[in-house]
Amino acid sequence: MTAVPEYIAIGSDSIKWGVEDPVIASALADKAGFAAADIQPMSALLPKLEAAWAAEQPLDAAQGRATQDFMAVFDGVKTDLSEVRQMMKNNLPANDPLFVALGLNETQPTDQDGVLAYAVRAFSNAKALTEAQLAPLAKRKWDAARFDAALNRARSAQALNDAQESAKAAAKTATDQLYNLIDEFDALFHPYAKEARRVLAKVTGALDKMQLARGVPAKPRRPVYRPRAAKVAKPTA
């Protein structure tokens, strides 16, 4: 697999010298049937490829930042769930009604959306506890203020998760556009490059000039995206 910038650079030099170098152009036309008019469709695609690559880069970077922002808060949500559950297990009988009141008697989901919904529900339920119900939890540092903070963190993570998905969708659209152009370009370029290597093998310096001396570049591989539902979070203790 060739990196996209390298692939574009090789394609650009191969096409440039296939038209502008008279010796190369003559050999391609006479021995492989690639006249300037046959090369023009590839030449027309190159600016589109370069523009698509330039457009994809900031969107890809934005997706990375959105994911980092989300994961930093999401890790805190998972820690909150783990700590409150462990505190209750250590200090309350297994059948204590507080587990039901908070919803922590239910199995925690493993997907990110499910974990966040579970956390918001549990920490929202804590707001409905009476002072008497909250007392044994507050004694172990889980008072109303801490539950409020945990709820705010979970809601913030939900918003960041949505922002992450929006950024991912924008990046995916740009990436699909880029790789659709690569597919279109490579369908023309690959046979051209193979023929160039064949007919120019004995023309001194020609393949070096066209960046084809090491072979025909492999088409960049299209990234594979996992759908949102496939994202999995490790269950907390």
Short mmCIF file of all heavy atoms in Angstrom, two decimals, residues 78-112:
data_model
loop_
_atom_site.label_atom_id
_atom_site.label_comp_id
_atom_site.label_asym_id
_atom_site.label_seq_id
_atom_site.Cartn_x
_atom_site.Cartn_y
_atom_site.Cartn_z
N LYS A 78 -16.87 6.12 33.43
CA LYS A 78 -16.69 4.71 33.79
C LYS A 78 -16.09 4.56 35.19
O LYS A 78 -16.48 3.66 35.94
CB LYS A 78 -15.80 4.02 32.75
CG LYS A 78 -16.45 3.85 31.38
CD LYS A 78 -15.62 2.99 30.46
CE LYS A 78 -14.33 3.66 30.08
NZ LYS A 78 -13.52 2.84 29.14
N THR A 79 -15.18 5.46 35.52
CA THR A 79 -14.59 5.43 36.86
C THR A 79 -15.64 5.73 37.92
O THR A 79 -15.70 5.07 38.97
CB THR A 79 -13.43 6.43 36.96
OG1 THR A 79 -12.40 6.05 36.04
CG2 THR A 79 -12.85 6.47 38.37
N ASP A 80 -16.49 6.73 37.65
CA ASP A 80 -17.57 7.06 38.59
C ASP A 80 -18.47 5.85 38.84
O ASP A 80 -18.79 5.52 39.99
CB ASP A 80 -18.41 8.21 38.04
CG ASP A 80 -17.71 9.55 38.12
OD1 ASP A 80 -16.79 9.69 38.93
OD2 ASP A 80 -18.10 10.46 37.35
N LEU A 81 -18.88 5.20 37.77
CA LEU A 81 -19.75 4.03 37.91
C LEU A 81 -19.06 2.93 38.70
O LEU A 81 -19.66 2.30 39.58
CB LEU A 81 -20.15 3.51 36.52
CG LEU A 81 -21.22 4.29 35.77
CD1 LEU A 81 -21.35 3.77 34.34
CD2 LEU A 81 -22.58 4.18 36.49
N SER A 82 -17.82 2.69 38.36
CA SER A 82 -17.09 1.63 39.04
C SER A 82 -16.94 1.93 40.53
O SER A 82 -17.14 1.04 41.38
CB SER A 82 -15.70 1.48 38.39
OG SER A 82 -14.95 0.50 39.08
N GLU A 83 -16.62 3.17 40.86
CA GLU A 83 -16.35 3.52 42.25
C GLU A 83 -17.62 3.49 43.10
O GLU A 83 -17.61 2.99 44.23
CB GLU A 83 -15.68 4.89 42.33
CG GLU A 83 -14.23 4.85 41.81
CD GLU A 83 -13.52 6.19 42.00
OE1 GLU A 83 -14.16 7.15 42.47
OE2 GLU A 83 -12.31 6.25 41.68
N VAL A 84 -18.73 4.02 42.55
CA VAL A 84 -19.94 4.02 43.36
C VAL A 84 -20.46 2.60 43.54
O VAL A 84 -20.92 2.22 44.63
CB VAL A 84 -21.03 4.93 42.74
CG1 VAL A 84 -21.62 4.37 41.46
CG2 VAL A 84 -22.15 5.18 43.77
N ARG A 85 -20.35 1.78 42.50
CA ARG A 85 -20.82 0.39 42.63
C ARG A 85 -19.95 -0.37 43.63
O ARG A 85 -20.45 -1.12 44.47
CB ARG A 85 -20.80 -0.30 41.27
CG ARG A 85 -21.27 -1.76 41.36
CD ARG A 85 -21.16 -2.49 40.05
NE ARG A 85 -22.19 -2.07 39.11
CZ ARG A 85 -21.95 -1.30 38.04
NH1 ARG A 85 -20.73 -0.87 37.80
NH2 ARG A 85 -22.93 -0.98 37.24
N GLN A 86 -18.63 -0.19 43.54
CA GLN A 86 -17.74 -0.92 44.44
C GLN A 86 -17.94 -0.48 45.88
O GLN A 86 -17.94 -1.29 46.82
CB GLN A 86 -16.28 -0.69 44.02
CG GLN A 86 -15.31 -1.67 44.68
CD GLN A 86 -15.63 -3.12 44.32
OE1 GLN A 86 -15.75 -3.47 43.14
NE2 GLN A 86 -15.77 -3.96 45.34
N MET A 87 -18.15 0.85 46.08
CA MET A 87 -18.41 1.35 47.42
C MET A 87 -19.67 0.73 48.01
O MET A 87 -19.69 0.31 49.18
CB MET A 87 -18.53 2.88 47.37
CG MET A 87 -18.85 3.55 48.71
SD MET A 87 -20.64 3.60 49.10
CE MET A 87 -21.24 4.68 47.81
N MET A 88 -20.72 0.62 47.18
CA MET A 88 -21.97 0.05 47.67
C MET A 88 -21.82 -1.44 47.95
O MET A 88 -22.32 -1.95 48.96
CB MET A 88 -23.09 0.31 46.65
CG MET A 88 -23.47 1.79 46.55
SD MET A 88 -24.67 2.16 45.24
CE MET A 88 -26.14 1.33 45.88
N LYS A 89 -21.11 -2.15 47.09
CA LYS A 89 -20.88 -3.58 47.32
C LYS A 89 -20.11 -3.82 48.61
O LYS A 89 -20.35 -4.79 49.34
CB LYS A 89 -20.11 -4.19 46.15
CG LYS A 89 -20.93 -4.42 44.90
CD LYS A 89 -20.08 -5.09 43.83
CE LYS A 89 -20.89 -5.42 42.58
NZ LYS A 89 -20.06 -6.04 41.53
N ASN A 90 -19.16 -2.93 48.89
CA ASN A 90 -18.32 -3.10 50.08
C ASN A 90 -19.03 -2.74 51.38
O ASN A 90 -18.62 -3.19 52.46
CB ASN A 90 -17.06 -2.24 49.96
CG ASN A 90 -16.10 -2.75 48.90
OD1 ASN A 90 -16.23 -3.88 48.44
ND2 ASN A 90 -15.15 -1.92 48.49
N ASN A 91 -20.07 -1.89 51.28
CA ASN A 91 -20.66 -1.34 52.50
C ASN A 91 -22.14 -1.65 52.71
O ASN A 91 -22.68 -1.36 53.78
CB ASN A 91 -20.48 0.18 52.51
CG ASN A 91 -19.03 0.59 52.62
OD1 ASN A 91 -18.46 0.61 53.70
ND2 ASN A 91 -18.42 0.91 51.47
N LEU A 92 -22.79 -2.23 51.71
CA LEU A 92 -24.22 -2.51 51.82
C LEU A 92 -24.50 -3.98 51.52
O LEU A 92 -23.76 -4.60 50.75
CB LEU A 92 -25.02 -1.65 50.84
CG LEU A 92 -24.90 -0.13 50.98
CD1 LEU A 92 -25.61 0.56 49.82
CD2 LEU A 92 -25.46 0.34 52.31
N PRO A 93 -25.53 -4.55 52.10
CA PRO A 93 -25.89 -5.93 51.74
C PRO A 93 -26.33 -6.00 50.28
O PRO A 93 -26.80 -5.01 49.70
CB PRO A 93 -27.04 -6.26 52.69
CG PRO A 93 -27.53 -4.95 53.20
CD PRO A 93 -26.40 -3.99 53.15
N ALA A 94 -26.17 -7.14 49.69
CA ALA A 94 -26.45 -7.31 48.26
C ALA A 94 -27.89 -6.99 47.90
O ALA A 94 -28.19 -6.59 46.77
CB ALA A 94 -26.09 -8.71 47.81
N ASN A 95 -28.81 -7.17 48.86
CA ASN A 95 -30.23 -6.94 48.58
C ASN A 95 -30.70 -5.55 49.04
O ASN A 95 -31.90 -5.30 49.15
CB ASN A 95 -31.09 -8.02 49.23
CG ASN A 95 -30.96 -8.04 50.76
OD1 ASN A 95 -30.08 -7.37 51.31
ND2 ASN A 95 -31.82 -8.79 51.43
N ASP A 96 -29.77 -4.67 49.33
CA ASP A 96 -30.16 -3.33 49.78
C ASP A 96 -30.96 -2.62 48.69
O ASP A 96 -30.58 -2.63 47.51
CB ASP A 96 -28.90 -2.51 50.10
CG ASP A 96 -29.23 -1.24 50.87
OD1 ASP A 96 -29.83 -0.32 50.27
OD2 ASP A 96 -28.92 -1.17 52.07
N PRO A 97 -32.08 -2.01 49.04
CA PRO A 97 -32.94 -1.36 48.04
C PRO A 97 -32.28 -0.20 47.30
O PRO A 97 -32.76 0.23 46.26
CB PRO A 97 -34.15 -0.87 48.86
CG PRO A 97 -33.70 -0.88 50.28
CD PRO A 97 -32.69 -1.97 50.39
N LEU A 98 -31.16 0.29 47.83
CA LEU A 98 -30.47 1.38 47.14
C LEU A 98 -29.95 0.95 45.77
O LEU A 98 -29.86 1.77 44.85
CB LEU A 98 -29.32 1.92 48.00
CG LEU A 98 -29.70 2.93 49.08
CD1 LEU A 98 -28.48 3.28 49.93
CD2 LEU A 98 -30.29 4.19 48.45
N PHE A 99 -29.58 -0.31 45.63
CA PHE A 99 -29.13 -0.79 44.32
C PHE A 99 -30.24 -0.63 43.29
O PHE A 99 -30.01 -0.21 42.15
CB PHE A 99 -28.69 -2.26 44.40
CG PHE A 99 -27.36 -2.47 45.07
CD1 PHE A 99 -27.29 -2.86 46.40
CD2 PHE A 99 -26.18 -2.26 44.38
CE1 PHE A 99 -26.07 -3.05 47.03
CE2 PHE A 99 -24.95 -2.45 45.00
CZ PHE A 99 -24.89 -2.84 46.33
N VAL A 100 -31.47 -0.98 43.71
CA VAL A 100 -32.62 -0.84 42.82
C VAL A 100 -32.96 0.63 42.59
O VAL A 100 -33.26 1.06 41.47
CB VAL A 100 -33.85 -1.59 43.39
CG1 VAL A 100 -35.08 -1.36 42.52
CG2 VAL A 100 -33.54 -3.08 43.50
N ALA A 101 -32.89 1.41 43.66
CA ALA A 101 -33.23 2.84 43.56
C ALA A 101 -32.34 3.56 42.56
O ALA A 101 -32.79 4.44 41.81
CB ALA A 101 -33.12 3.50 44.94
N LEU A 102 -31.07 3.19 42.52
CA LEU A 102 -30.14 3.81 41.57
C LEU A 102 -30.14 3.13 40.21
O LEU A 102 -29.64 3.69 39.23
CB LEU A 102 -28.72 3.80 42.14
CG LEU A 102 -28.47 4.67 43.37
CD1 LEU A 102 -27.03 4.54 43.83
CD2 LEU A 102 -28.79 6.13 43.09
N GLY A 103 -30.67 1.92 40.14
CA GLY A 103 -30.63 1.16 38.89
C GLY A 103 -29.36 0.37 38.72
O GLY A 103 -29.09 -0.19 37.65
N LEU A 104 -28.56 0.28 39.77
CA LEU A 104 -27.28 -0.45 39.69
C LEU A 104 -27.45 -1.94 39.89
O LEU A 104 -26.48 -2.70 39.86
CB LEU A 104 -26.30 0.11 40.72
CG LEU A 104 -25.85 1.56 40.49
CD1 LEU A 104 -24.90 2.00 41.58
CD2 LEU A 104 -25.20 1.71 39.11
N ASN A 105 -28.70 -2.36 40.09
CA ASN A 105 -28.97 -3.80 40.13
C ASN A 105 -29.04 -4.38 38.72
O ASN A 105 -28.95 -5.59 38.52
CB ASN A 105 -30.30 -4.07 40.84
CG ASN A 105 -31.47 -3.41 40.14
OD1 ASN A 105 -31.40 -2.22 39.80
ND2 ASN A 105 -32.55 -4.15 39.91
N GLU A 106 -29.17 -3.51 37.72
CA GLU A 106 -29.24 -3.94 36.32
C GLU A 106 -27.83 -4.07 35.75
O GLU A 106 -26.92 -3.33 36.13
CB GLU A 106 -30.05 -2.94 35.50
CG GLU A 106 -31.49 -2.78 35.97
CD GLU A 106 -32.23 -1.71 35.20
OE1 GLU A 106 -31.70 -1.23 34.17
OE2 GLU A 106 -33.34 -1.34 35.63
N THR A 107 -27.67 -5.00 34.83
CA THR A 107 -26.36 -5.22 34.20
C THR A 107 -25.95 -3.99 33.39
O THR A 107 -26.75 -3.47 32.60
CB THR A 107 -26.40 -6.45 33.28
OG1 THR A 107 -26.77 -7.59 34.06
CG2 THR A 107 -25.04 -6.69 32.63
N GLN A 108 -24.75 -3.56 33.59
CA GLN A 108 -24.26 -2.39 32.84
C GLN A 108 -23.99 -2.78 31.39
O GLN A 108 -23.35 -3.80 31.12
CB GLN A 108 -22.96 -1.87 33.47
CG GLN A 108 -22.38 -0.65 32.76
CD GLN A 108 -21.15 -0.13 33.47
OE1 GLN A 108 -21.15 0.04 34.70
NE2 GLN A 108 -20.09 0.13 32.73
N PRO A 109 -24.47 -1.99 30.43
CA PRO A 109 -24.18 -2.28 29.02
C PRO A 109 -22.68 -2.17 28.73
O PRO A 109 -21.92 -1.64 29.55
CB PRO A 109 -24.96 -1.18 28.27
CG PRO A 109 -25.96 -0.67 29.25
CD PRO A 109 -25.33 -0.82 30.60
N THR A 110 -22.29 -2.66 27.57
CA THR A 110 -20.88 -2.58 27.20
C THR A 110 -20.61 -1.58 26.08
O THR A 110 -19.47 -1.16 25.88
CB THR A 110 -20.35 -3.96 26.76
OG1 THR A 110 -21.16 -4.46 25.70
CG2 THR A 110 -20.36 -4.93 27.92
N ASP A 111 -21.65 -1.21 25.32
CA ASP A 111 -21.42 -0.23 24.25
C ASP A 111 -21.40 1.17 24.86
O ASP A 111 -21.99 1.43 25.90
CB ASP A 111 -22.51 -0.33 23.18
CG ASP A 111 -23.88 0.03 23.71
OD1 ASP A 111 -24.46 -0.80 24.44
OD2 ASP A 111 -24.36 1.15 23.43
N GLN A 112 -20.75 2.11 24.18
CA GLN A 112 -20.56 3.44 24.73
C GLN A 112 -21.88 4.17 24.99
O GLN A 112 -22.07 4.76 26.06
CB GLN A 112 -19.67 4.27 23.79
CG GLN A 112 -18.23 3.80 23.80
CD GLN A 112 -17.34 4.59 22.85
OE1 GLN A 112 -17.81 5.48 22.15
NE2 GLN A 112 -16.07 4.28 22.83
#
